[in-house]
């Protein structure tokens, strides 16, 4: 579908690429967000862009650019960075030219660390070890961060692991809980309420605002994780 | 310097919010009523970028450990110095002396409802508004996180240790020896977020409004009452908004902003505030304009809410006009008469 630029309030734009949960579309959203950050450094009126699955929200400072100017600048940027594909499924258009380090997360699956592992395995008609193998066997894309600081929506989950979120969310999940719901998996960075199925736990610290250079929190003070791969700890 | 004897309903250190971290799940945070925050800071000669204490509903009791100047702005939650029987009304800067306390005697308690009610509050007086701001000279001295002194409750960082104030917490002014502002009074007659009026609403982006066709019109047509409020948002009680459940279920998460009116699966409207999550997957019925966010930030439980439509161009004019109004009022503040004699005589 064609990219749409929609006003969100009087001081922000939502760039909608469309397509639902699709890793290739999501990579385009991230490229657009990166281009907006670069454009800000070049004098653009942008606040920090917020990628979604298939969109980017960006606020602008009206003291830097009037709305019409900002919109034109955004349109030109979108055309330059995310041109309409000349043919469907153009492989060149999806070149992931910015290789991201893969963060590996040691996960303790099941037991007290993953109280939902057994019931979920039963519901999915898998053995627990098959479920663990499937979950730990993937490298996941970070679709977006949201819900709470450092909460990364990772996916897509293999078909066999998909199920709706819990009927009744927990009022509090342990920090580091590894969870699944629908097409996604995630690690809860802090003890917050949580509606996803808890299958394990990691000690990896995914969020530490103190441990950051001016700018980008993330593991080891580097850029936020773009891809993550759960690993079972060697026993 | 002030010490918390007993905390209020929700007291947090806030400035104008985080400009970094929106793509990492860090909400904007900052004062829900940025106008009143700016008034409290300006009364002490500071820009709104310094931090003040945001108090909600019913305020804390604070001990004055070291004589200092405080400024209050926003809702009148009955701030006073019990030892002196002296009121600290919003819109004033006053000297408070070591050995005395600042207590809040009015406002509304956690149950909300009628303004003159109050949970465990004696001598409650009727109030309007829901939040008040207490400023110290040079701002409240706390370290910055991600470039801001606001409190990120969701991430448990920023402000004072990433949490609401507790008994024993100390609030230090950035300029502890600056006692130069007592007696300043914010000029009356200007915009006042505590005086409720209809909130001006823009239509939502098409993608987000689609599954809630008719919801924008329903918001404009209805009269709503504030149900639950916290820093993330306020729920509106009233007839459920129309929404296409199936289409709504297909929406994927994308960035949202404070002021957006989300439609929950049961049709309840929720207006997002400063601590709202950065992304959401619910349909959006409309967006409250930036210039009206301070008024949104002063709505408390039981308050009546109405919306009216506005064009994007007028919404932008409203924002610029509000900024200009603030500058004009602040300029009159500096040129106003000194009230030092009155303030010092009372002390």
């Amino acid at each position: 579908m064609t990219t749409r630029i929609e006003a969100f309030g009087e001081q922000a734009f939502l760039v909608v690429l469309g397509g639902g949960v699709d890793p290739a579309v999501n990579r385009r959203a991230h490229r657009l967000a990166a281009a907006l950050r670069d454009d800000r450094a070049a004098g653009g009126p942008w606040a920090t862009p917020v990628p979604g699955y298939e969109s980017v929200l960006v606020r602008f400072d009206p003291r830097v650019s009037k709305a019409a100017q900002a919109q034109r600048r955004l349109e030109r940027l979108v055309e330059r960075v995310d041109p309409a594909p000349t043919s469907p499924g153009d492989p060149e258009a999806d070149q992931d030219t910015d290789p991201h380090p893969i963060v590996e997360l040691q996960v303790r699956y099941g037991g007290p660390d993953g109280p939902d592992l057994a019931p979920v395995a039963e519901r999915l008609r898998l053995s627990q070890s098959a479920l663990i193998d499937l979950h730990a066997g993937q490298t996941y894309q970070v679709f977006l961060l949201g819900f709470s600081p450092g909460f990364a929506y990772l996916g897509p989950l293999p078909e066999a692991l998909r199920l709706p979120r819990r009927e009744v969310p927990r009022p509090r999940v342990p920090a580091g809980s590894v969870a699944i719901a629908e097409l996604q998996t995630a690690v809860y960075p802090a003890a917050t309420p949580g509606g996803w199925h808890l299958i394990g736990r990691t000690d990896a610290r995914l969020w530490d605002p103190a441990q950051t250079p001016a700018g980008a929190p993330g593991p080891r003070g580097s850029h936020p994780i773009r891809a993550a791969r759960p690993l079972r700890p060697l026993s | 310097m002030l010490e918390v004897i007993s905390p209020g309903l929700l007291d947090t250190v806030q400035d104008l919010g985080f400009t970094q971290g929106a793509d990492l799940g860090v909400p904007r945070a900052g004062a829900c009523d940025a106008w009143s925050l700016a008034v409290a800071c300006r009364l002490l000669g500071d820009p709104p970028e310094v931090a003040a204490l945001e108090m909600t509903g019913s305020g804390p009791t604070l001990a004055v450990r070291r004589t200092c100047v405080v400024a209050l702005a926003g809702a009148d939650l009955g701030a006073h110095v019990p030892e002196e029987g002296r009121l600290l009304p919003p819109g004033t800067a006053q000297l408070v002396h070591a050995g005395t306390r600042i207590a809040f005697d009015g406002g509304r308690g956690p149950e909300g409802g009628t303004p003159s009610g109050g949970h465990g509050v004696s001598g409650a007086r009727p109030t309007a508004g829901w939040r008040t701001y207490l400023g110290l000279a040079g701002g409240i001295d706390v370290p910055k996180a991600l470039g801001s002194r606001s409190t990120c409750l969701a991430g448990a960082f920023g402000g004072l240790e990433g949490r609401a104030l507790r008994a024993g917490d100390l609030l230090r002014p950035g300029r502890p020896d600056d006692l130069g502002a007592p007696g300043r009074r914010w000029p009356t007659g200007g915009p006042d977020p505590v005086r409720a009026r209809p909130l001006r609403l823009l239509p939502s982006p098409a993608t987000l409004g689609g599954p809630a066709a008719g919801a924008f019109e329903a918001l404009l047509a209805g009269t709503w009452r504030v149900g639950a409020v916290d820093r993330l948002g306020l729920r509106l009680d009233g007839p459920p908004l129309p929404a296409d459940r199936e289409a709504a279920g297909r929406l994927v998460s994308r960035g949202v902003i404070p002021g957006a009116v989300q439609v929950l699966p049961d049709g309840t409207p929720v207006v997002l505030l400063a601590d709202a999550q950065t992304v959401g997957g619910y349909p959006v019925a409309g967006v409250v304009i930036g210039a009206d966010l301070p008024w949104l930030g002063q709505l408390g439980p039981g308050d009546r809410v109405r919306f009216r439509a506005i064009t994007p161009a007028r919404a932008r004019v409203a924002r610029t006009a509000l900024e200009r109004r603030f500058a004009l009022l602040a300029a009159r503040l500096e040129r106003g008469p000194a009230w030092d004699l009155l303030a010092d005589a009372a002390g």
Side-chain angles (χ1 to χ4, degrees):
Chain A
M1 66 160 255
T2 357
T3 299
R4 287 199 303 270
I5 294 177
E6 300 174 356
F8 200 152
E10 78 283 353
Q11 228 178 270
F13 295 110
L14 187 66
V15 183
V16 184
L17 304 173
V21 180
D22 178 334
V25 172
N26 185 248
R27 282 193 285 274
R28 285 167 52 207
H30 283 286
R31 278 199 288 274
L32 200 49
L36 281 162
R37 289 192 297 268
D38 290 341
D39 193 49
R40 173 175 52 179
W46 318 117
T48 306
V50 180
Y53 283 99
E54 28 119 89
S55 64
V56 181
L57 170 74
V58 66
R59 292 172 60 220
F60 64 92
D61 186 343
R63 290 164 299 185
V64 175
S65 293
K66 297 275 186 281
Q69 261 183 292
Q71 179 153 355
R72 274 195 300 275
R73 190 170 181 136
L74 181 59
E75 282 164 2
R76 284 196 303 267
L77 189 146
V78 170
E79 266 164 35
R80 183 169 49 83
V81 171
D82 190 64
T86 46
S87 61
D90 183 354
E92 243 189 66
D94 190 32
Q95 276 300 335
D96 198 2
T97 53
D98 185 2
H100 306 291
I102 297 176
V103 172
E104 296 191 327
L105 305 169
Q106 298 287 335
V107 179
R108 294 184 303 278
Y109 285 96
D113 292 313
D116 295 330
L117 182 72
V120 166
E122 192 174 317
R123 205 157 143 196
L124 295 174
R125 301 180 202 278
L126 294 167
S127 67
Q128 290 186 34
S129 72
L131 194 162
I132 293 170
D133 283 342
L134 267 173
H135 187 259
Q138 305 288 316
T139 297
Y140 298 104
Q141 179 159 321
V142 176
F143 280 103
L144 64 149
L145 283 88
F147 175 69
S148 71
F151 184 100
Y153 290 82
L154 309 171
L157 274 182
E159 206 59 76
L161 292 184
R162 298 181 192 174
L163 77 169
R165 58 190 74 190
R166 284 168 60 87
E167 292 273 319
V168 183
R170 289 183 170 86
R172 195 179 151 92
V173 305
S177 292
V178 176
I180 62 173
E182 293 154 5
L183 290 116
Q184 291 129 154
T185 182
V187 180
Y188 286 98
T192 58
W196 295 19
H197 305 274
L198 307 184
I199 61 172
R201 198 162 171 195
T202 179
D203 293 330
R205 286 212 69 177
L206 292 169
W207 172 263
D208 185 352
Q211 183 218 14
T212 64
R220 302 179 287 280
S222 59
H223 279 290
I225 50 172
R226 297 274 182 249
R229 186 178 148 76
L231 285 182
R232 271 183 282 189
L234 302 168
S235 39
Chain B
M1 183 171 75
L2 308 174
E3 179 182 335
V4 181
I5 305 294
S6 60
L9 186 55
L10 179 67
D11 315 312
T12 53
V13 175
Q14 303 290 350
D15 58 17
L16 289 177
F18 296 98
T19 53
Q20 297 174 39
D23 56 352
L24 302 170
V26 179
R28 211 186 295 176
C32 288
D33 172 4
W35 172 278
S36 297
L37 169 87
V39 169
C41 296
R42 196 55 182 268
L43 281 165
L44 300 170
D46 292 313
E49 283 75 25
V50 306
L53 182 67
E54 176 181 272
M55 296 166 285
T56 312
S58 59
T61 302
L62 306 167
V64 184
R65 291 286 175 236
R66 202 168 175 258
T67 297
C68 57
V69 192
V70 299
L72 283 130
D76 187 351
L77 299 187
H80 65 289
V81 180
E83 290 80 3
E84 301 166 8
R86 174 165 57 113
L87 297 178
L88 303 172
T92 63
Q94 298 201 42
L95 203 61
V96 289
H97 300 275
T100 65
R101 286 168 302 157
I102 299 171
F104 290 77
D105 201 20
R108 294 177 276 185
E111 279 87 33
T114 58
S116 57
H119 175 71
V121 175
S122 61
R125 73 193 72 198
T127 60
W130 185 236
R131 294 182 170 91
T132 199
Y133 297 86
L134 184 148
L136 296 175
I140 297 180
D141 188 8
V142 289
K144 283 188 179 179
L146 288 183
S148 166
R149 294 191 173 88
S150 290
T151 307
C152 180
L153 291 170
F157 69 90
L160 192 80
E161 300 175 7
R163 56 170 175 76
L165 260 51
R166 299 201 274 248
D169 284 336
L170 295 172
L171 299 170
R172 293 185 171 84
R175 294 193 306 273
D177 301 319
D178 181 353
L179 304 178
R184 286 222 197 104
R185 180 176 278 271
W186 188 257
T188 51
D192 185 358
V194 166
R195 282 202 307 267
R197 50 169 171 66
L199 299 171
R200 290 167 292 185
L201 198 69
L202 289 166
S204 70
T207 310
L208 308 188
F216 180 71
E217 291 74 17
L219 281 175
L220 295 176
T223 304
W224 310 89
R225 284 215 177 266
V226 178
V229 194
D230 59 18
R231 279 185 46 90
L232 280 88
L234 51 94
R235 294 173 69 104
L236 295 177
D237 293 336
L241 294 179
D244 177 345
R245 288 264 195 128
E246 217 192 289
R250 288 196 295 270
L251 279 181
V252 290
S253 292
R254 98 290 301 165
V256 289
I257 57 175
V261 184
Q262 290 185 321
V263 185
L264 298 191
D266 64 1
T268 305
V270 174
V271 192
L272 299 183
L273 294 176
D275 279 4
Q277 293 164 338
T278 53
V279 298
Y282 294 124
V284 171
V287 189
V288 175
I289 70 171
D292 285 355
L293 291 181
W295 277 259
L296 192 55
Q298 286 295 348
L299 290 171
D303 283 343
R304 196 164 155 273
V305 179
R306 301 218 58 179
F307 296 96
R308 65 180 182 87
I310 189 172
T311 63
R314 287 197 190 280
R316 290 188 272 266
V317 166
R319 184 186 272 271
T320 322
L322 194 65
E323 284 171 7
R324 285 212 191 103
R325 250 357 260 289
F326 186 92
L328 286 171
L329 290 162
R332 276 168 53 197
L333 171 69
E334 262 105 53
R335 287 196 297 268
W339 280 47
D340 299 281
L341 282 175
L342 278 171
D344 287 352

